[in-house]
Amino acid sequence: MAPLSATRTSGSSIMQALLNTAVKAARKGGDTALRYLSRVADLDVRSKARNEFVTQVDHAAEAAIIASIRERYPHHGFLAEESGAHPGDEFVWIVDPLDGTTNFLHGFPVFSVSVALRIRDQLELGVVYDPCRQELFTAIRGAGAQLDGRRIRVGSRPGLDGALIGTGFPYRSNDEWLDRYLAMLRAVMEQTAGVRRPGSAALDLCYVAAGRLDGFWEFGLQAWDIAAGTLMIREAGGLVASLTPGPDVLETGNVVAGSPKVYEALRALLAPHL
Ligand code: IPD
Ligand code: CA
Ligand code: CA
């Protein structure tokens, strides 16, 4: 049997190879989106549900990401926003090819590509790429989170006073939350330095990981919106959980996150309105 140190080294080089593949794929997805950005007016936009748009860009980016990963790992499975579940072995890539489609369609330059890898039930790595800023967020479980190769940590604020909080509005099938959400928004506005709604949940979570936001909450997200960002925050020393009862935040999609003290305070502030 290989000595433990050798096993660790080979384990980490496998993870590094998987991460390199994820990065290459995410960049391909982001480049696809950028190629279309100057001609969004010509896109064929379809509505999946109220306020839920999809274009050929989402599909083309997703196809490019999946093809790129498959080239290296032909037996892996996928859970991808536009094409659904593709069965494979116990390695499952969770892909949002364009997180922030509404922004993209308006030429509002806040959108991202999110790619995460789950092995059995464990999230092992995450990549979020912002093609407009060419910023690359990466995380490997147990090895920390990085922005463009430099280690990132969540902020160190002791509570909500002075905090900048990110959020997403309930604006489509999750609008059953609207009244409760508005009460929460008021409470957060009254207690913090400000609230931001950039429009790409994957990127919002990375901003928490990088200390650009102190906390975040949103209802009704999907696993592909949050898988990579969740790992990013945990690896940057922050906390992420479900706001509502459930086995896992990736399943409920009702997210609260933050640096440890802001997370606790935000959770306590939102709880009475649930
Ligand atoms: C959306 C974005 C947005 C969030 C929505 C998501 P999409 O993803 O993450 O910030 O508020 O709930 O669905 O549809 O652009 O991939
Ligand atoms: Ca999304
Ligand atoms: Ca999407």
Side-chain angles (χ1 to χ4, degrees):
M1 200 170 87
L4 186 61
S5 56
T7 314
R8 278 219 186 100
T9 310
S10 65
S12 68
S13 62
I14 290 168
M15 288 314 296
Q16 193 56 52
L18 287 158
L19 183 71
N20 293 345
T21 300
V23 167
K24 188 173 160 200
R27 286 191 190 278
K28 284 196 175 169
D31 292 347
T32 305
L34 278 190
R35 275 202 301 279
Y36 285 93
L37 187 59
S38 58
R39 39 199 174 103
V40 284
D42 302 331
L43 291 176
D44 169 27
V45 183
R46 273 170 300 125
S47 195
K48 294 195 272 190
R50 189 175 76 84
N51 282 345
E52 196 166 351
F53 304 107
V54 63
T55 67
Q56 65 264 47
V57 183
D58 301 71
H59 287 285
E62 184 165 302
I65 292 165
I66 292 177
S68 176
I69 295 173
R70 275 215 177 115
E71 207 175 283
R72 177 86 196 252
Y73 301 109
H75 304 298
H76 288 185
F78 291 86
L79 173 63
E81 178 173 12
E82 309 307 340
S83 56
H86 306 231
D89 60 16
E90 73 268 31
F91 289 65
V92 178
W93 295 90
I94 305 175
V95 177
D96 190 335
L98 178 52
D99 186 53
T101 296
T102 303
N103 283 348
F104 177 81
L105 285 173
H106 290 262
F108 188 100
V110 179
F111 48 86
S112 64
V113 178
S114 177
V115 177
L117 175 63
R118 192 173 60 199
I119 307 179
R120 286 162 222 114
D121 279 333
Q122 186 84 58
L123 279 175
E124 295 290 352
L125 67 81
V127 171
V128 176
Y129 179 54
D130 171 351
C132 295
R133 282 161 206 77
Q134 299 190 348
E135 286 190 328
L136 181 74
F137 295 86
T138 56
I140 294 179
R141 186 170 68 88
Q146 302 194 318
L147 165 55
D148 293 335
R150 286 186 308 279
R151 188 78 187 253
I152 49 173
R153 306 276 313 163
V154 293
S156 55
R157 202 168 286 284
L160 292 175
D161 194 27
L164 189 63
I165 304 295
T167 189
F169 302 141
Y171 67 107
R172 48 196 194 196
S173 52
N174 54 359
D175 60 7
E176 79 215 47
W177 284 100
L178 188 57
D179 290 337
R180 284 169 287 174
Y181 177 85
L182 290 174
M184 292 177 185
L185 181 60
R186 181 187 184 106
V188 176
M189 287 172 68
E190 284 171 350
Q191 301 272 327
T192 63
V195 179
R196 300 288 181 267
R197 196 284 192 248
S200 165
L203 218 43
D204 295 340
L205 294 175
C206 291
Y207 279 25
V208 173
R212 293 174 178 177
L213 291 170
D214 298 294
F216 173 82
W217 91 104
E218 182 166 353
F219 294 94
L221 290 165
Q222 301 291 331
W224 43 78
D225 300 314
I226 56 179
T230 296
L231 186 66
M232 212 72 65
I233 291 182
R234 291 184 177 140
E235 289 300 321
L239 298 171
V240 191
S242 175
L243 264 171
T244 51
D248 183 68
V249 66
L250 259 56
E251 285 181 41
T252 69
N254 300 325
V255 182
V256 57
S259 56
K261 292 200 170 114
V262 171
Y263 165 89
E264 294 300 346
L266 183 59
R267 211 185 161 121
L269 186 67
L270 301 176
H273 304 287
L274 281 167

